[in-house]
């Protein structure tokens, strides 16, 4: 089982999502909330989210975000050409020690 039925990443890199039913990731809004927890420990969570955002995938849970959450993010930042760059910059900023 892959994180989602169309996930481009190999099965070996996934953690708990391997045991999940792929239909859980394409469920209604209430079920999607539960499904997002499957992504929490996934080694390719960011890459999965980038795939969904860059390709404007409308359905399912990708990278820990529901379709509604991704839609809101895309509407707030319509000019983003590469979500990989945005997410890597955000990660880098969070990893920097804060000056006191």
């Amino acid at each position: 089982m892959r994180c989602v039925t169309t996930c481009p990443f190999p099965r070996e890199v996934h953690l708990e999502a391997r045991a999940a039913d792929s239909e859980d990731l394409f469920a209604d809004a209430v079920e999607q909330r539960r499904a997002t927890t499957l992504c929490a420990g996934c080694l390719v969570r960011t890459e999965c989210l980038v795939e969904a955002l860059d390709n404007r995938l409308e359905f399912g849970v990708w990278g820990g975000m529901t379709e509604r959450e991704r839609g809101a993010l895309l509407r707030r930042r319509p000019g983003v050409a590469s979500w990989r760059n945005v997410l890597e910059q955000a990660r880098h900023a969070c990893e920097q020690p804060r000056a006191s």
Side-chain angles (χ1 to χ4, degrees), residues 31-90:
E31 297 280 328
Q32 282 188 351
R33 279 278 160 229
R34 186 176 61 79
T36 59
T37 62
L38 297 173
C39 300
C42 185
L43 298 174
V44 294
R45 181 179 177 182
T46 301
E47 291 82 357
C48 190
L49 181 56
V50 166
E51 175 78 11
L53 292 171
D54 282 350
N55 294 297
R56 306 299 195 259
L57 300 177
E58 295 181 28
F59 302 105
V61 174
W62 288 79
M65 290 184 81
T66 66
E67 51 209 44
R68 180 174 283 182
E69 292 167 332
R70 289 191 316 276
L73 182 58
L74 290 167
R75 285 188 297 279
R76 282 194 310 269
R77 307 271 311 263
V80 174
S82 171
W83 282 96
R84 180 175 311 284
N85 293 338
V86 171
L87 295 175
E88 286 176 359
Q89 289 172 3

